[in-house]
Amino acid sequence: MEFDIMTFLRGVGARLFLIASMLTLSSQANSSDADTALSVTLSLPASKDKAEAGIVIVTISNRSSTTRLLPKPLTPLQNPDGHLLNNIFSVTNAKGEKVEFTGRFVHVLPEPREQFYIRLAPGDTLSKEINLAADYNLRAGGLFHVRYTQSFHSLRSLENDDTPAVRVDSNELDIWINTSLVSMAVEHRAALGKSSLPLMLSGCDEEAGSLRPLRECPPSAPSKT
């Protein structure tokens, strides 16, 4: 039987095309799973005064079929004393320049792991108002652009340190800041003695002004919708 080199090459090409197609579909499926596991949305409050004072609403929805874990130090849902635990947001002015972060940086060991994460069950949505002016210098006023990336883990992270985090980006939100409203809020916090922030601990009991390690803090209470 005579060997047909062209038929052979066409057969090899077809097999390679099939393999490449399968790899592409698999990659798209994995990417889709990551993109649709969580929905992270930034929006403005209904109150104009709140919006112009630097308050935004963070809404996180679990659209997957499994529970997702949000690391407390890396989510705006956890701000026990009205301040973020880290520089979580990307805030830029109208010129595209990064706005100064005036808050704290909290490093917490993930132990006990059950208390290190906020659990988000399938179909659940958590929402919380965040005062950006408490941790970012918005005193110049005017237009700012806000977004952030939320990392999350699967339940396997409760047993395995090596489980990689998945990240999902929020939308970009434009906010307009009224300088007088921000200034009044800053002066009010200073009068209450809230102007200096701890670096390695998070505030849990705002009334008593006590500071305890994050793992001892009661869980934050974002509202379910």
Side-chain angles (χ1 to χ4, degrees), residues 11-30:
V12 171
R15 284 192 290 272
L16 290 174
F17 176 78
L18 179 60
I19 292 173
S21 299
M22 292 175 65
L23 289 174
T24 300
L25 289 174
S26 175
S27 174
Q28 290 175 344
N30 291 335

Side-chain angles (χ1 to χ4, degrees), residues 92-142:
T92 57
N93 61 23
K95 297 179 180 179
E97 301 166 335
K98 279 194 172 184
V99 170
E100 178 190 9
F101 176 68
T102 59
R104 61 193 165 197
F105 292 92
V106 177
H107 177 71
V108 182
L109 295 176
E111 295 179 1
R113 294 183 189 176
E114 285 286 346
Q115 296 181 30
F116 183 74
Y117 298 102
I118 294 176
R119 285 175 175 255
L120 194 58
D124 276 1
T125 295
L126 297 178
S127 183
K128 194 165 190 176
E129 287 188 351
I130 302 297
N131 184 3
L132 293 175
D135 294 302
Y136 296 89
N137 186 357
L138 304 179
R139 293 190 189 187

Side-chain angles (χ1 to χ4, degrees), residues 175-192:
I175 62 175
W176 182 268
I177 297 299
N178 183 324
T179 305
S180 61
L181 292 176
V182 170
S183 298
M184 284 190 297
V186 170
E187 291 172 3
H188 178 65
R189 286 195 302 274
L192 293 176

Side-chain angles (χ1 to χ4, degrees), residues 134-202:
D135 294 302
Y136 296 89
N137 186 357
L138 304 179
R139 293 190 189 187
L143 178 66
F144 294 90
H145 310 290
V146 184
R147 57 185 173 81
Y148 93 100
T149 298
Q150 178 63 64
S151 62
F152 66 92
H153 296 258
S154 68
L155 288 173
R156 291 192 299 273
S157 293
L158 296 178
E159 302 173 355
N160 184 359
D161 277 335
D162 296 330
T163 304
V166 181
R167 294 173 174 81
V168 60
D169 295 328
S170 74
N171 58 304
E172 183 171 277
L173 180 68
D174 292 342
I175 62 175
W176 182 268
I177 297 299
N178 183 324
T179 305
S180 61
L181 292 176
V182 170
S183 298
M184 284 190 297
V186 170
E187 291 172 3
H188 178 65
R189 286 195 302 274
L192 293 176
K194 303 292 183 183
S195 55
S196 69
L197 298 176
L199 291 180
M200 297 302 292
L201 297 175
S202 62

